[in-house]
């Protein structure tokens, strides 16, 4: 019996320096370069995994965190199945910017229902616990105020909880796709007659464009 295949697009957002590129590298390649230069525009990587008996192809987008490059990444939000909002546990300003990142995603991605769209919050650099400036309770309170968002504290550098965060996003994305599947009545689908409407299988927001990126 062939396995069901899914394609999911995940977008990673957050201020420059929070570790978005390192998170992606750790998850996709099981290694991380902590000396990454800032991403310009957006870049993506692919990874194929199996979750609950399903083969899932992930397209994971790493977007620019620097303000001067942010507008270049907006075009790549559309079609996302899940979004990771990231901040640096040692940098309170990156936590305070989360509302801006979430609102920017909703404005540019245009999800049908922003309240049910799958977001996760990632507090990165837990390996620098002695420098922590954002408490777990504060982050969890923010999640509660934002539709009970799931929260993960990770170390992209050491691989702590990175896989768990991405698997959670994959499961949320699959559930969203299943909930969005619509069975069209024969009279609308046009089966057996002219003049029916045929919906093209256009996977939302897929693109093969890769912008210039330094990492």
């Amino acid at each position: 019996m062939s396995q069901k295949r899914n394609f999911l697009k995940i977008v990673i957002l957050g201020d420059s320096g929070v570790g978005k590129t390192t998170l992606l590298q750790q998850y996709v390649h099981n290694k991380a370069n902590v000396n990454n230069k800032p991403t310009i525009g957006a870049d993506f990587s692919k990874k194929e995994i199996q979750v609950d008996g399903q083969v899932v192809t992930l397209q994971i987008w790493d977007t620019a965190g620097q303000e001067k490059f942010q507008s270049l990444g907006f075009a790549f939000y559309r079609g996302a199945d899940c979004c990771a909002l990231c901040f640096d546990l040692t940098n309170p300003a990156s936590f305070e910017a989360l509302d801006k990142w979430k609102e920017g995603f909703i404005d540019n991605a245009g999800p049908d229902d922003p309240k049910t769209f799958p977001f996760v919050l990632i507090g990165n650099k837990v390996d620098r616990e002695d420098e922590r400036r954002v408490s777990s309770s504060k982050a969890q309170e923010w999640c509660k105020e934002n539709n009970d968002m799931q929260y993960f504290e990770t170390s992209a550098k050491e691989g702590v909880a990175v896989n768990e965060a991405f698997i959670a996003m994959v499961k949320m994305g699959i559930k969203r796709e299943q909930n969005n599947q619509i069975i069209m009545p024969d009279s609308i689908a046009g089966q057996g007659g002219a003049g029916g409407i045929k919906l093209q299988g256009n996977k939302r927001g897929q693109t093969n464009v890769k912008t210039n990126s330094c990492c």
Side-chain angles (χ1 to χ4, degrees), residues 39-95:
T39 300
I40 299 174
D43 192 9
F44 76 91
S45 293
K46 285 189 175 182
K47 183 181 178 84
E48 186 171 277
I49 63 172
Q50 289 193 29
V51 176
D52 297 334
Q54 301 182 59
V55 178
V56 184
T57 300
L58 302 178
Q59 189 182 80
I60 308 170
W61 285 84
D62 170 25
T63 59
Q66 289 185 313
E67 187 172 355
K68 62 182 178 180
F69 298 135
Q70 285 174 17
S71 61
L72 299 176
F74 288 161
F76 301 98
Y77 294 3
R78 189 165 293 276
D81 297 291
C82 190
C83 177
L85 300 170
C86 303
F87 72 98
D88 179 348
L89 290 165
T90 72
N91 182 359
S94 68
F95 178 77

Side-chain angles (χ1 to χ4, degrees), residues 8 10 16 20 34 40 117 134 138 151 153 158 161 173 197:
L8 295 177
I10 296 173
S16 180
K20 301 185 300 296
V34 295
I40 299 174
F117 184 85
V134 181
K138 187 173 183 178
Y151 176 51
E153 293 194 343
E158 298 181 357
I197 301 172

Side-chain angles (χ1 to χ4, degrees), residues 2-20:
S2 62
Q3 293 175 310
K4 182 178 179 181
R5 289 182 173 269
N6 293 274
F7 177 95
L8 295 177
K9 178 178 179 179
I10 296 173
V11 176
I12 308 175
L13 302 181
D15 279 1
S16 180
V18 301
K20 301 185 300 296

Side-chain angles (χ1 to χ4, degrees), residues 2-214:
S2 62
Q3 293 175 310
K4 182 178 179 181
R5 289 182 173 269
N6 293 274
F7 177 95
L8 295 177
K9 178 178 179 179
I10 296 173
V11 176
I12 308 175
L13 302 181
D15 279 1
S16 180
V18 301
K20 301 185 300 296
T21 301
T22 312
L23 279 165
L24 187 152
Q25 290 175 341
Q26 182 65 253
Y27 180 63
V28 174
H29 304 295
N30 295 315
K31 61 181 181 180
N33 177 10
V34 295
N35 296 315
N36 290 307
K37 295 180 180 180
T39 300
I40 299 174
D43 192 9
F44 76 91
S45 293
K46 285 189 175 182
K47 183 181 178 84
E48 186 171 277
I49 63 172
Q50 289 193 29
V51 176
D52 297 334
Q54 301 182 59
V55 178
V56 184
T57 300
L58 302 178
Q59 189 182 80
I60 308 170
W61 285 84
D62 170 25
T63 59
Q66 289 185 313
E67 187 172 355
K68 62 182 178 180
F69 298 135
Q70 285 174 17
S71 61
L72 299 176
F74 288 161
F76 301 98
Y77 294 3
R78 189 165 293 276
D81 297 291
C82 190
C83 177
L85 300 170
C86 303
F87 72 98
D88 179 348
L89 290 165
T90 72
N91 182 359
S94 68
F95 178 77
E96 298 299 329
L98 290 173
D99 288 321
K100 174 196 72 175
W101 285 108
K102 184 183 177 187
E103 291 169 5
F105 176 84
I106 291 171
D107 289 344
N108 290 278
D112 293 335
D113 186 356
K115 290 185 178 180
T116 61
F117 184 85
F119 287 95
V120 300
L121 180 63
I122 295 179
N124 192 37
K125 304 187 183 180
V126 73
D127 53 286
R128 295 167 59 183
E129 183 65 31
D130 57 336
E131 301 175 53
R132 178 192 283 266
R133 298 284 302 282
V134 181
S135 67
S136 296
S137 59
K138 187 173 183 178
Q140 289 166 352
E141 182 63 29
W142 188 88
C143 288
K144 187 176 295 185
E145 294 170 354
N146 285 269
N147 303 310
D148 290 323
M149 193 181 299
Q150 289 195 55
Y151 176 51
F152 297 87
E153 293 194 343
T154 66
S155 169
K157 177 182 177 181
E158 298 181 357
V160 176
V162 174
N163 188 67
E164 289 85 346
F166 277 95
I167 291 299
M169 285 188 273
V170 170
K171 290 183 176 181
M172 292 168 68
I174 292 174
K175 183 178 180 180
R176 177 175 181 266
E177 282 208 333
Q178 291 172 342
N179 290 340
N180 285 345
Q181 288 178 351
I182 301 175
I183 300 176
M184 302 292 285
D186 289 350
S187 60
I188 297 178
Q191 295 181 7
I197 301 172
K198 182 178 181 181
L199 300 180
Q200 193 69 25
N202 178 25
K203 182 65 181 177
R204 306 173 312 281
Q206 283 191 33
T207 177
N208 292 323
V209 175
K210 182 176 180 180
T211 61
N212 292 330
S213 174
C214 53

